[in-house]
Amino acid sequence: MKTVKPRYLENSLQVVFFMCAAISTITTVAVIGILAFETWGFLQHVSIVEFLFGTRWSPLLHPKSYGLLPLLAGTTLIVVGASLVALPIGLACAIYLSEYAGERARNVLKPVLEVLAGIPTVVYGFFALTFVTPILRTVLPQTDVFNAASAAIVVGIMVLPMVASLCDDAFRAVPDNLREGAYSLGATSFEVTTRVVVPAGLSGVFAAFVLAISRAIGETMAVTLAAGATPNLTLNPLESIQTMTAYIVQVSLGDTPAGTLTYQTLFAVAAVLFLVTLCLNIAANMIMKRFQEVYE
Amino acid sequence: MSSEENVILNIDDACISYGGDLAVRNVSLQIFEKKITAIIGPSGCGKSTLLRSLNRMNDFIHGCEQSGRISFRDEDLYGDKMDPVEVRLRIGMVFQRPNPFPKSIYRNVAWGPDINGLEGDLDDRVEKALRQSALWDEVKDRLHESALNLSGGQQQRLCIARALAMEPEIILMDEPCSALDPVSTARIEDLLFELKENYTIVIVTHNMQQAARVSQHTAFLENGVLVEYGDTEEVFTNPKNKRTEEYVTGRFG
Ligand SMILES: Nc1ncnc2c1ncn2[C@@H]1O[C@H](COP(=O)(O)OP(=O)(O)O)[C@@H](O)[C@H]1O
Ligand SMILES: [Mg+2]
């Protein structure tokens, strides 16, 4: 006959787990709620058209103006620059790792990438300011002390490990028997890689790219340190700019009283940031799903 | 074996090992042109290993080493002058599990000729290969649909078409029917009969009836050793070796 085990522990643990799940859900909902509420308040004073399409951003200095485009341009510069660095190099790294590297090279490179991914972002910002910027200024003397290019380069280096690692996963998920099939038709390694493996892993590659872009958009520390605080509607990467994230830092560090319009701009900008990265992450997830179904 | 048969592959004292463990031991045998040669034997006896050495697919396996000599039309298959990519261009392969590329039916068949820049009209080549593999009528209206939507048997015939589109001199097949249902298996056997007019085929199978039905020569391998090799009829009806007899009559382990 079975003895009935006491269920107290199990039941109480269940409650604990439920609480943990509940807390994270509630937090997310609360954050979204506050963002929406404050943004709503902001939009009572500034029309959404002016906010999204205005070309001057000056919420702190008179004459005040709340056009988001300069911040969007700043973020765009960083994202484009970082993508130019991270996407091709990350893809090439992944191709090397999954198709060419031997066990030994892999065993060295994978941990190096992980270390690169684990460096605190403030170190990257510092590195941009003290190392990348001086080089840029030597090569291109017209470069500002704070400039988008330097920040974009380090943000690119920062997201590169993620791109390399996700693309590597995508390529390694391509079954070996496809490679064998290609080789048996007289293909070279290069042809197998470019005409079978990369196309077969393409949705994984796209997902990696989207996630990298999403991270570059949200990146804060390096751009605050290296890119400047000048909301400048420009596409010149050598100028000082301000990104959406850097603006949030700037105002958060100041002593803007709660309830003012300036205070509310924080939430409006954060809401835009949140929506953009949310959309990108959803897109990446959808692409990933497709990619998982291919070989089932 | 009659003397008018041309030897296309001559395997002479081949030993193949993985990380030092011998999988094929001192095998010598000849593959004849425009004939079907079957390699039979219990699982793990080295059939795939031997087959893959014939188009240098073992080159990709880390720790796989080979000694002895394999000549392909009197040239050393593993000689310095032989380019392994060229070898695989001339000696095609069909694998145990169908492995179509995640591309359209057309792109699968066109893939080899396309990357290797083979001459002639690609469409014609694709159609011819699909007709030879008896798949044309089933797929001619959906050439540009994904090959992954085909059934297992159709996928395997597509892989055969893919190999045929290269017009290789030899086709190696590693248990091409083991993942297929009986109907698909019968279709592929019919196909082999037609292909033997023009192609040299080496087929690994653990299905004895299949070997007896389709091949002219049969090699029986056990523990990496070639126990018996001869005309298929001889091997099945009048084997010289007792082990062979036990295996082909099913009185085996
Ligand atoms: N890639 C490999 N690495 C190490 N050993 C292998 C590998 N492939 C096959 N072997 C070994 O070689 C022997 C022969 O295998 P295989 O040629 O696949 O046999 P078969 O095709 O007759 O079933 C087996 O003992 C198997 O374990
Ligand atoms: Mg096998």
Side-chain angles (χ1 to χ4, degrees):
Chain A
M1 218 173 79
K2 263 188 186 171
T3 48
V4 181
K5 281 191 271 184
R7 291 295 184 84
Y8 309 121
L9 187 65
E10 197 166 325
N11 289 341
S12 53
L13 274 179
Q14 204 171 350
V15 173
V16 171
F17 291 139
F18 174 77
M19 295 286 278
C20 292
I23 286 171
S24 56
T25 312
I26 291 167
T27 316
T28 312
V29 171
V31 168
I32 295 174
I34 293 169
L35 276 184
F37 178 76
E38 295 286 352
T39 305
W40 178 250
F42 171 77
L43 289 176
Q44 300 309 302
H45 301 278
V46 179
S47 83
I48 191 152
V49 176
E50 187 193 340
F51 176 53
L52 290 180
F53 301 104
T55 56
R56 211 173 73 84
W57 181 256
S58 176
L60 303 173
L61 301 174
H62 287 285
K64 295 201 173 182
S65 174
Y66 303 94
L68 190 66
L69 282 183
L71 294 186
L72 277 178
T75 295
T76 306
L77 267 181
I78 299 293
V79 167
V80 171
S83 302
L84 287 178
V85 173
L87 306 191
I89 301 179
L91 186 59
C93 275
I95 288 177
Y96 175 73
L97 276 176
S98 91
E99 304 303 307
Y100 292 94
E103 274 304 300
R104 215 181 301 158
R106 249 190 103 76
N107 288 343
V108 174
L109 276 170
K110 270 278 190 184
V112 168
L113 282 180
E114 267 150 38
V115 168
L116 209 55
I119 296 175
T121 58
V122 65
V123 177
Y124 277 104
F126 182 70
F127 169 73
L129 207 54
T130 58
F131 184 74
V132 180
T133 302
I135 294 179
L136 278 177
R137 279 164 67 85
T138 320
V139 182
L140 301 163
Q142 72 271 34
T143 311
D144 290 343
V145 175
F146 296 103
N147 64 82
S150 173
I153 290 169
V154 296
V155 172
I157 298 172
M158 205 183 298
V159 297
L160 193 156
M162 189 181 78
V163 175
S165 160
L166 288 176
C167 291
D168 177 50
D169 291 347
F171 296 150
R172 286 165 78 77
V174 176
D176 263 340
N177 67 9
L178 289 188
R179 292 183 183 82
E180 291 202 322
Y183 278 121
S184 76
L185 294 165
T188 60
S189 304
F190 183 74
E191 286 160 346
V192 173
T193 303
T194 55
R195 318 240 342 218
V196 173
V197 178
V198 174
L202 206 56
S203 34
V205 171
F206 281 146
F209 283 5
V210 174
L211 285 178
I213 289 171
S214 161
R215 256 204 69 188
I217 291 174
E219 168 40 42
T220 308
M221 217 53 221
V223 294
T224 306
L225 283 178
T230 326
N232 210 345
L233 184 53
T234 177
L235 288 177
N236 177 357
L238 302 180
E239 285 179 31
S240 170
I241 51 119
Q242 186 167 44
T243 63
M244 293 190 278
T245 51
Y247 170 75
I248 293 174
V249 172
Q250 185 193 13
V251 176
S252 305
L253 293 179
D255 45 7
T256 309
T260 62
L261 190 54
T262 310
Y263 177 78
Q264 285 175 328
T265 58
L266 276 185
F267 295 90
V269 173
V272 171
L273 208 53
F274 172 74
L275 282 179
V276 172
T277 45
L278 180 71
C279 291
L280 286 175
N281 289 351
I282 290 173
N285 263 320
M286 280 164 56
I287 301 172
M288 289 278 217
K289 276 239 181 65
R290 243 207 64 203
F291 151 67
Q292 281 164 353
E293 283 161 4
V294 172
Y295 299 109
E296 277 168 9
Chain B
M1 286 168 230
S2 58
S3 55
E4 68 218 76
E5 294 177 313
N6 289 325
V7 175
I8 187 166
L9 276 173
N10 186 18
I11 304 163
D12 185 17
D13 202 28
C15 294
I16 309 172
S17 60
Y18 295 104
D21 296 333
L22 272 176
V24 169
R25 299 159 196 263
N26 306 91
V27 168
S28 298
L29 63 82
Q30 292 166 333
I31 306 291
F32 298 97
E33 196 165 10
K34 308 232 162 113
K35 293 285 182 296
I36 300 182
T37 304
I39 302 177
I40 60 170
S43 147
C45 71
K47 304 181 295 293
S48 299
T49 304
L50 180 63
L51 190 76
R52 290 166 59 95
S53 75
L54 302 182
N55 68 341
R56 299 194 56 168
M57 287 303 286
N58 287 334
D59 289 15
F60 301 113
I61 296 176
H62 200 68
C64 183
E65 294 199 30
Q66 178 157 353
S67 68
R69 184 184 159 97
I70 301 178
S71 347
F72 174 31
R73 297 194 192 279
D74 297 328
E75 277 182 276
D76 184 359
L77 196 71
Y78 284 79
D80 291 338
K81 271 183 274 160
M82 195 62 97
D83 172 8
V85 172
E86 161 109 15
V87 168
R88 294 181 211 111
L89 214 123
R90 294 170 61 189
I91 306 180
M93 191 164 210
V94 176
F95 298 83
Q96 192 163 355
R97 285 173 58 95
N99 57 351
F101 301 132
K103 301 176 189 289
S104 72
I105 294 168
Y106 181 93
R107 281 274 118 226
N108 263 276
V109 183
W111 199 84
D114 193 18
I115 63 157
N116 290 299
L118 298 193
E119 281 169 16
D121 187 67
L122 210 51
D123 291 355
D124 291 346
R125 213 177 247 280
V126 170
E127 179 172 345
K128 186 174 166 211
L130 285 170
R131 282 192 191 280
Q132 280 179 312
S133 66
L135 196 58
W136 177 251
D137 290 333
E138 290 159 62
V139 302
K140 63 171 186 275
D141 298 323
R142 46 176 179 141
L143 287 177
H144 298 284
E145 281 177 32
S146 170
L148 302 182
N149 295 337
L150 297 174
S151 72
Q154 288 173 323
Q155 287 190 4
Q156 193 63 305
R157 274 181 285 147
L158 180 68
C159 291
I160 295 174
R162 190 172 71 176
L164 288 172
M166 296 294 296
E167 296 178 356
E169 293 161 58
I170 307 176
I171 301 179
L172 310 174
M173 297 186 171
D174 192 353
E175 303 194 28
C177 302
S178 67
L180 306 183
D181 59 89
V183 177
S184 305
T185 301
R187 297 209 59 160
I188 290 190
E189 286 181 15
D190 289 344
L191 189 61
L192 292 177
F193 278 117
E194 295 184 16
L195 292 177
K196 95 165 181 256
E197 305 295 321
N198 297 307
Y199 289 93
T200 306
I201 295 173
V202 184
I203 180 170
V204 164
T205 174
H206 59 217
N207 178 335
M208 237 76 62
Q209 288 82 8
Q210 184 171 61
R213 275 195 302 264
V214 303
S215 70
Q216 284 81 58
H217 303 294
T218 297
F220 171 53
L221 230 58
E222 192 179 36
N223 283 326
V225 177
L226 180 66
V227 176
E228 183 152 354
Y229 181 47
D231 287 350
T232 296
E233 238 193 88
E234 285 282 301
V235 172
F236 279 92
T237 56
N238 190 17
K240 293 189 194 69
N241 192 296
K242 205 164 156 288
R243 297 294 300 161
T244 314
E245 185 180 347
E246 283 172 354
Y247 186 72
V248 298
T249 54
R251 268 183 286 122
F252 195 91

